[in-house]
Amino acid sequence: MKLFNPRLIVFICALLLGVGFSVPSLLETKGPKITLGLDLRGGLNMLLGVQTDEALKNKYLSLASALEYNAKKQNILLKDIKSSLEGISFELLDEDEAKKLDALLLELQGHSQFEIKKEAEFYSVKLTPLEQEELRKNTILQVIGIIRNRLDQFGLAEPVVIQQGREEISVQLPGIKTLEEERRAKDLISKSAHLQMMAVDEEHNKDAMTMTDLEAQKLGSVLLSDAEMGGKILLKAIPILDGEMLTDAKVVYDQNNQPVVSFTLDA
């Protein structure tokens, strides 16, 4: 009679090895989580275009606003300050102030690089092509950051927000199941805001009701609808305050417990 059955011994050894290899996985409570993409979970996939031209326009508007403010502060007389996608242009009324103006432009330039052209008393200022491209790149990165922050507030898990192409952003939102969730996500992502405070064009505002947008543009102004008065109001196109002049902005509550926006200027 055999005391040991070879087959039994092999079976027991195999069983012990199997248990030994299984114990770590049975005891493991934490580990990398597998993220299911749109193909497995379903969801929303969007390709967004970023209007970097608008960012460049806003940059020039901010520059024109700062130039107008500081020129008045230093008693440098400028005329017809205009801003467009091509840069800003203006006329220097007193040639004796040219050196002061050059120093002011150098101060406003900061870390940027300007291309400044002079033809007699007429000036044109714009960012160099390299600076324009850098502004466009930074705008894309800023928009990506804003979208990610908004989606975090929305409570979505593992959204994918990446640049695609030169001026497009791909947004993938796994887990979006209903039309209401899709609508909320799209509304949250697509909202944009840019703060500007603009002065009324007192000289020409009396003609605002009969004025066309093109006529307003020739005056260096813009027409807006006045909801309270039920008419139109003419504003100077160069803002007196621009969002780029702010260092901080937040919602606070006034003495009546009503929400208001509090902001801090950079100077």
Side-chain angles (χ1 to χ4, degrees):
M1 180 178 179
K2 294 182 179 180
L3 295 178
F4 299 100
N5 189 326
R7 292 184 179 180
L8 179 61
I9 293 174
V10 171
F11 174 76
I12 293 174
C13 290
L15 180 62
L16 291 175
L17 287 173
V19 172
F21 284 117
S22 301
V23 167
S25 61
L26 293 173
L27 296 178
E28 184 70 37
T29 58
K30 295 182 180 180
K33 184 179 179 181
I34 298 176
T35 301
L36 301 180
L38 295 180
D39 53 342
L40 296 177
R41 294 175 59 187
L44 182 63
N45 186 18
M46 294 183 290
L47 187 62
L48 309 176
V50 181
Q51 296 178 332
T52 56
D53 281 352
E54 290 300 315
L56 189 56
K57 285 181 182 178
N58 290 332
K59 177 68 175 180
Y60 286 139
L61 273 174
S62 179
L63 175 61
S65 177
L67 175 63
E68 184 175 47
Y69 172 79
N70 286 281
K72 287 181 179 179
K73 192 175 180 181
Q74 298 183 28
N75 295 318
I76 302 174
L77 299 178
L78 303 180
K79 181 182 178 183
D80 293 335
I81 302 177
K82 295 180 180 179
S83 173
S84 69
L85 183 59
E86 304 303 319
I88 64 173
S89 60
F90 55 90
E91 179 183 354
L92 176 64
L93 296 181
D94 187 353
E95 293 184 4
D96 293 337
E97 302 293 333
K99 288 185 178 180
K100 288 175 63 177
L101 176 60
D102 291 342
L104 174 57
L105 289 173
L106 185 62
E107 179 184 342
L108 294 177
Q109 181 171 267
H111 297 293
S112 302
Q113 294 294 323
F114 290 165
E115 287 184 355
I116 302 174
K117 293 183 179 180
K118 303 178 186 178
E119 294 183 6
E121 67 274 19
F122 295 97
Y123 283 69
S124 63
V125 181
K126 66 178 181 179
L127 295 174
T128 64
L130 185 62
E131 285 287 333
Q132 292 183 38
E133 185 61 27
E134 191 67 21
L135 175 65
R136 294 179 187 277
K137 289 180 180 179
N138 289 337
T139 299
I140 298 289
L141 294 176
Q142 184 180 17
V143 172
I144 289 175
I146 291 172
I147 292 175
R148 284 175 177 163
N149 289 336
R150 290 181 178 180
L151 292 177
D152 287 343
Q153 296 174 10
F154 190 72
L156 290 173
E158 298 143 358
V160 177
V161 186
I162 57 174
Q163 182 174 350
Q164 182 170 317
R166 185 170 183 266
E167 295 187 352
E168 293 179 327
I169 296 175
S170 173
V171 180
Q172 298 180 16
L173 306 177
I176 296 289
K177 297 178 180 179
T178 67
L179 290 176
E180 177 62 20
E181 288 179 339
E182 181 177 330
R183 184 192 63 78
R184 286 180 58 203
K186 287 181 177 179
D187 288 345
L188 189 67
I189 292 172
S190 61
K191 287 181 179 178
S192 61
H194 184 75
L195 174 67
Q196 288 182 336
M197 292 186 180
M198 308 168 78
V200 176
D201 187 342
E202 300 286 357
E203 182 180 355
H204 304 101
N205 189 51
K206 62 182 183 297
D207 302 319
M209 290 297 295
T210 58
M211 190 177 296
T212 65
D213 289 336
L214 182 58
E215 290 172 336
Q217 186 178 353
K218 289 180 179 179
L219 294 172
S221 300
V222 292
L223 272 175
L224 292 180
S225 298
D226 188 342
E228 292 186 2
M229 302 299 294
K232 295 180 180 179
I233 186 170
L234 189 66
L235 303 177
K236 293 184 178 180
I238 304 300
I240 57 177
L241 185 146
D242 186 84
E244 291 194 8
M245 301 176 184
L246 305 184
T247 59
D248 179 55
K250 57 187 176 182
V251 177
V252 297
Y253 291 87
D254 62 14
Q255 62 271 22
N256 298 318
N257 202 32
Q258 296 297 314
V260 295
V261 177
S262 172
F263 55 85
T264 304
L265 298 176
D266 59 0

